[in-house]
Amino acid sequence: MRRTLAITAALGLATGALTLATGGSAHAARTTAAVHPAAATTSTCSTARLPLPDPTCTPGAFNPAVTQATIHSTICVSGWTATVRPPTSYTNTLKAQGIIDYGYADTNLSDYEEDHFIPLELGGAPRDPRNLWPEPYSGMLTAHSKDGVETKLKNAVCAGTVTLAAARSAMQTDWTTAEQVLGLG
């Protein structure tokens, strides 16, 4: 119980800081426990679409600095994602709450990647909770599988064979079929 309260308090602080920093509001499903500690024991997100996240909890979000016009000064620059990737001190708090929100039986943080649904490689929002979720490392299609798709799509966008909008849409619809939909697989 003490650990849950500590995680809840940390998430509340992180959410408050995020809300102030962005001038907006964080996604309700990821902040329910911060406002209502008793809600921390109830899952609010579905695992029915795995390996995809629940779109009501994790719809994805874009980095406004990344557009088709800016790709050659952002995502197509080697090492650029490292400049926007949030620290694990931020993502681990979200991961812990996300494991609760998704109702995963396995609560070991190291069994999940707090993944960007719209990848940083395609201009996904780095710190927006709507774009982050605890993606399992177990199963047939995992966080490791998704990494290869992200790289292939980014390379196609940077080569000019696929638009940024098309790559983002394919990832957001279903990353497991994105390469085929875009004619890359």
Side-chain angles (χ1 to χ4, degrees):
M1 180 67 170
R2 188 175 292 151
R3 183 172 185 266
T4 301
L5 290 175
I7 290 170
T8 300
L11 181 63
L13 291 172
T15 301
L18 175 67
T19 301
L20 289 174
T22 62
S25 62
H27 192 263
R30 301 302 296 268
T31 62
T32 303
V35 178
H36 305 287
T41 58
T42 306
S43 67
T44 57
C45 306
S46 172
T47 58
R49 294 189 70 220
L50 283 175
L52 306 174
D54 180 335
T56 60
C57 295
T58 314
F62 303 130
N63 180 344
V66 180
T67 65
Q68 189 68 45
T70 66
I71 61 171
H72 293 293
S73 62
T74 56
I75 65 170
C76 297
V77 174
S78 180
W80 180 81
T81 59
T83 69
V84 297
R85 187 174 306 282
T88 56
S89 59
Y90 176 77
T91 58
N92 277 347
T93 302
L94 288 176
K95 185 191 310 189
Q97 184 59 49
I99 289 169
I100 294 167
D101 289 347
Y102 273 87
Y104 292 130
D106 175 3
T107 59
N108 185 353
L109 291 180
S110 64
D111 291 339
Y112 303 88
E113 175 181 322
E114 187 65 4
D115 195 30
H116 291 91
F117 180 40
I118 305 301
L120 297 179
E121 291 86 342
L122 295 174
R127 290 178 169 259
D128 191 324
R130 295 172 301 166
N131 197 42
L132 288 154
W133 74 295
E135 186 174 19
Y137 285 127
S138 63
M140 291 283 296
L141 297 169
T142 67
H144 297 299
S145 308
K146 185 172 175 267
D147 291 343
V149 174
E150 295 170 0
T151 300
K152 193 164 189 177
L153 268 61
K154 182 202 81 160
N155 290 341
V157 168
C158 294
T161 56
V162 172
T163 66
L164 178 63
R168 285 174 165 177
S169 177
M171 287 298 289
Q172 199 165 25
T173 300
D174 185 344
W175 70 264
T176 67
T177 62
E179 291 176 79
Q180 292 77 24
V181 166
L182 297 170
L184 302 173

